[in-house]
């Protein structure tokens, strides 16, 4: 046990304190990274119900397997790996992709078509017609992501939406960097025809997402996805 307040410990020290028997340490660690872990689970699973189940599976696994952490990677990388693996396990077990309702609290960071809690992210959010168009476009992007094989979806979520580097994504997915690049490339190629109508509507003058956030080019979202936890 440690006399230092848990909130002042770094991630590795919190995990070590949990392994040593501190009953509160893991909760502090999870709370610290909750928003990012939830975002990864939500985008990978595609709906809040399955994301909650996947995240719960991951937290149970991380809680029980904390003693296996050897410090080869950052604790956050390890946590992301556990969450992604738990979500992929559920996706593989389901073997069927369903078209569930879009979660209202999805933060399309990197897409920025709709803001937090289902609010419109543009300065024209007082216009119901514009808000409807933006919601429809968000639906199209998220529905397109759901059509990808789990491994491609996970790679795109980490690189294009969460803003991880290829190296970081490779560490999370426990595969070679070339594999991550290949999965992202194939995923973007599969998304391109699905998102073509959305981009064509922008080209003829329909209300468009914020500059730099069109789902075109090298990334699903923007050329340089933002970093850091999603806004609450």
């Amino acid at each position: 046990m440690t006399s230092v307040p848990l909130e002042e410990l770094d991630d590795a020290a919190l995990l070590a304190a949990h392994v040593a028997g501190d009953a509160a340490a893991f909760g502090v660690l999870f709370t610290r990274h909750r928003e990012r872990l939830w975002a990864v689970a939500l985008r990978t699973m595609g709906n809040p119900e399955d994301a909650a189940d996947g995240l719960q599976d991951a937290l149970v696994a991380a809680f029980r397997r904390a003693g296996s952490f050897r410090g080869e990677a950052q604790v956050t990388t390890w946590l992301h790996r556990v969450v992604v693996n738990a979500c992929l396990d559920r996706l593989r077990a389901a073997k069927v992709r369903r078209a569930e309702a879009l979660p209202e609290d999805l933060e399309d960071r990197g897409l920025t078509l709709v803001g937090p809690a289902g609010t419109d992210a543009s300065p024209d959010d007082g216009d119901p017609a514009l808000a409807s168009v933006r919601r429809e476009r968000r639906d199209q992007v998220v529905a397109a992501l759901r059509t990808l094989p789990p491994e491609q979806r996970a790679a795109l979520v980490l690189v294009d939406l969460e803003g991880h580097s290829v190296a970081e994504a490779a560490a999370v997915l426990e595969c070679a960097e070339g594999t991550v690049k290949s999965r992202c490339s194939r995923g973007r190629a599969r998304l391109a025809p699905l998102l073509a109508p959305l981009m064509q509507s922008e080209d003829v003058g329909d209300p468009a997402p914020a500059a730099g956030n069109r789902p075109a080019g090298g990334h699903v979202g923007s050329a340089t996805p933002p970093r850091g936890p999603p806004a609450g």
Side-chain angles (χ1 to χ4, degrees), residues 105-157:
D105 58 349
L106 178 65
E107 163 108 1
D108 285 312
R109 184 158 43 84
L111 299 173
T112 321
L113 300 179
V114 176
T119 60
D120 193 282
S122 79
D124 299 317
D125 56 350
D127 185 341
L130 178 57
S132 177
V133 169
R134 293 183 183 279
R135 281 193 298 269
E136 181 178 352
R137 286 181 177 156
R138 182 186 65 174
D139 287 4
Q140 292 174 0
V141 171
V142 176
L145 283 170
R146 290 180 186 144
T147 69
L148 298 179
E151 289 78 8
Q152 291 178 16
R153 189 193 312 183
L156 282 176
V157 165

Side-chain angles (χ1 to χ4, degrees), residues 34 49 53 56 66 69 73 85 95 97 106 123 163 167-168 201 209 214 221:
R34 175 174 51 198
E49 291 80 13
D53 289 339
Q56 179 174 320
F69 178 73
N85 285 339
K95 295 184 180 178
R97 298 178 188 84
L106 178 65
E168 291 168 340
S201 69
R214 295 186 182 185

Side-chain angles (χ1 to χ4, degrees), residues 212-225:
N213 289 319
R214 295 186 182 185
H219 287 77
V220 173
S222 61
T224 308

Side-chain angles (χ1 to χ4, degrees), residues 5-161:
L6 291 174
E7 290 76 12
E8 296 181 10
L9 297 178
D10 63 20
D11 292 345
L14 280 173
L15 199 60
H18 164 64
V19 173
D22 191 310
F26 190 83
V28 174
L29 178 64
F30 168 64
T31 299
R32 181 177 294 174
H33 301 290
R34 175 174 51 198
E35 292 183 353
R36 287 296 297 271
L37 298 177
W38 171 248
V40 169
L42 185 57
R43 289 164 178 154
T44 303
M45 299 303 296
N47 68 88
E49 291 80 13
D50 288 345
D53 289 339
L55 186 57
Q56 179 174 320
D57 290 349
L59 292 178
V60 170
F63 187 92
R64 292 175 175 172
R65 301 174 192 167
S68 67
F69 178 73
R70 294 291 178 262
E72 295 91 348
Q74 293 183 355
V75 173
T76 52
T77 299
W78 178 73
L79 287 172
H80 275 71
R81 180 185 304 156
V82 175
V83 171
V84 168
N85 285 339
C87 291
L88 290 179
D89 285 345
R90 281 190 167 267
L91 288 172
R92 294 182 188 118
K95 295 184 180 178
V96 176
R97 298 178 188 84
R98 298 161 297 179
E100 294 91 346
L102 188 73
E104 288 298 320
D105 58 349
L106 178 65
E107 163 108 1
D108 285 312
R109 184 158 43 84
L111 299 173
T112 321
L113 300 179
V114 176
T119 60
D120 193 282
S122 79
D124 299 317
D125 56 350
D127 185 341
L130 178 57
S132 177
V133 169
R134 293 183 183 279
R135 281 193 298 269
E136 181 178 352
R137 286 181 177 156
R138 182 186 65 174
D139 287 4
Q140 292 174 0
V141 171
V142 176
L145 283 170
R146 290 180 186 144
T147 69
L148 298 179
E151 289 78 8
Q152 291 178 16
R153 189 193 312 183
L156 282 176
V157 165
L158 289 172
V159 175
D160 286 1
L161 300 185

